[in-house]
Amino acid sequence: MAATTGVAVTATFGAAARAVATNKGTLDDPFAEPLVRAAGVDHFVRVIDDDRFGTDDADGSWFLDVCAAHTRFVDEFVADAGRAGLRQVVILASGLDTRPYRLWWPPGTTVYEIDRPEVLDFKSEALRGLGAELTASRRAVGVALHQDWPAALRRVGFDATAPAVWIAEQLLIGYLTPAVQDRVLQGVTAMSAAGSRFAADHMPIWTPLQLEAERSFVDGLRQNGVDVDLASLTHPGQYHYVPEYLTARGWETVQRNVTELLGAVGRPVRRRHRPGDTEFVPEYLTATRA
């Protein structure tokens, strides 16, 4: 996995957030830190090693806290779905997600991970080296989201007649082109039986202020030795507002902002953060297929 590509950097950022949260005792992901070290992005290794990144005034800690809070929220979301009897879980652009290894799953649960083959291969090899054991049936689907991923998902056993849980973390925030994002949401809808559930973070619209916040964030990464191509992180264009787009296609949606998200997992809202931080924080939604 090329560690300095935009996708790899965002995947490693998510793993670093889980590692820091695990060290703080607010999350339990024993595989996050080894995966960050294996990815070889020095900046994120320093994020874990350097205590100053664990303080409220630390550079980037606001985003780390929010990312970890959303991870906890989604963990509880899928646990609730499991208690309701759903046994199919699909993680879109799974990156370095470790849920098939670190969460308890009801018997009979299958977790489908969709991502590029090289990302899935990197993670599988690294976790084998750690002796990680699966806690659910895991099926890796090596396909990019601009390709025919629904067909690939069906080929490995996904049953579109049974309800499923869909997870899209750090994906619907500009990493796909508007057209591809629409096709992904259409594909999710077409593959979702009644009672299916969906959880995602999403960027409502890329305003000039948000684009400036993104540039500031990327500049900060570059100053710390992470050479990121800005164009690989987000795409220009007009995106549909995800909650409205899903509602129009038969989903019942619940929207949350970052304050509500942190409150939902019992985390206090940080009072101090850098200018522009909140402009770069997504909104959050859950949805149920009617």
Side-chain angles (χ1 to χ4, degrees):
M1 183 176 68
T4 56
T5 64
V7 173
V9 166
T10 57
T12 310
F13 180 88
R18 298 196 306 274
V20 170
T22 297
N23 291 336
K24 290 180 179 180
T26 59
L27 194 70
D28 184 16
D29 186 350
F31 309 113
E33 181 173 335
L35 283 173
V36 172
R37 296 186 185 280
V41 183
D42 290 341
H43 170 63
F44 294 120
V45 173
R46 293 197 304 272
V47 165
I48 298 170
D49 288 342
D50 194 335
D51 287 343
R52 73 186 179 87
F53 288 96
T55 66
D56 280 348
D57 294 323
D59 182 25
S61 65
W62 168 247
F63 298 119
L64 291 171
D65 286 347
V66 171
C67 185
H70 191 240
T71 296
R72 273 190 55 186
F73 178 84
V74 174
D75 287 353
E76 295 171 7
F77 179 80
V78 296
D80 183 66
R83 288 189 290 268
L86 278 70
R87 295 294 183 265
Q88 296 185 117
V89 179
V90 183
I91 306 176
L92 300 166
S94 60
L96 300 184
D97 188 294
T98 61
R99 287 188 175 95
Y101 299 86
R102 67 177 179 82
L103 296 183
W104 178 87
W105 299 93
T109 300
T110 300
V111 180
Y112 300 87
E113 293 193 290
I114 300 177
D115 212 318
R116 293 174 300 146
E118 61 269 28
V119 174
L120 295 172
D121 290 346
F122 167 82
K123 181 171 64 175
S124 296
E125 182 178 350
L127 289 171
R128 275 196 301 270
L130 296 171
E133 296 184 358
L134 288 165
T135 55
S137 174
R138 172 183 179 260
R139 298 185 185 177
V141 187
V143 61
L145 289 173
H146 67 271
Q147 298 172 322
D148 191 359
W149 60 266
L153 193 56
R154 286 191 293 267
R155 281 196 297 270
V156 296
F158 181 84
D159 181 3
T161 67
V165 185
W166 302 85
I167 301 170
E169 288 182 291
Q170 301 179 54
L171 176 64
L172 307 181
I173 54 176
Y175 295 149
L176 305 173
T177 65
V180 171
Q181 178 167 301
D182 287 351
R183 288 199 298 272
V184 166
L185 294 176
Q186 291 164 8
V188 168
T189 299
M191 300 278 281
S192 293
S196 293
R197 305 185 186 189
F198 181 73
D201 49 352
H202 66 102
M203 193 66 78
I205 185 172
W206 280 100
T207 66
L209 191 59
Q210 287 168 328
L211 289 171
E212 180 58 35
E214 181 200 36
R215 281 191 288 269
S216 176
F217 178 73
V218 172
D219 287 343
L221 290 176
R222 283 177 171 160
Q223 291 170 12
N224 284 281
V226 183
D227 185 15
V228 182
D229 176 14
L230 182 63
S232 72
L233 286 178
T234 55
H235 297 275
Q238 183 65 45
Y239 289 83
H240 288 105
Y241 186 50
V242 175
E244 293 179 353
Y245 196 78
L246 290 176
T247 298
R249 284 156 181 78
W251 294 84
E252 298 173 353
T253 63
V254 177
Q255 303 170 51
R256 294 176 177 83
N257 59 32
V258 66
T259 301
E260 294 167 322
L261 173 75
L262 292 170
V265 295
R267 296 294 303 276
V269 178
R270 202 179 101 177
R271 300 298 181 184
R272 293 182 298 163
H273 47 80
R274 297 177 304 173
D277 277 355
T278 54
E279 298 299 332
F280 197 43
V281 172
E283 290 183 5
Y284 306 88
L285 72 86
T286 58
T288 303
R289 188 83 163 104

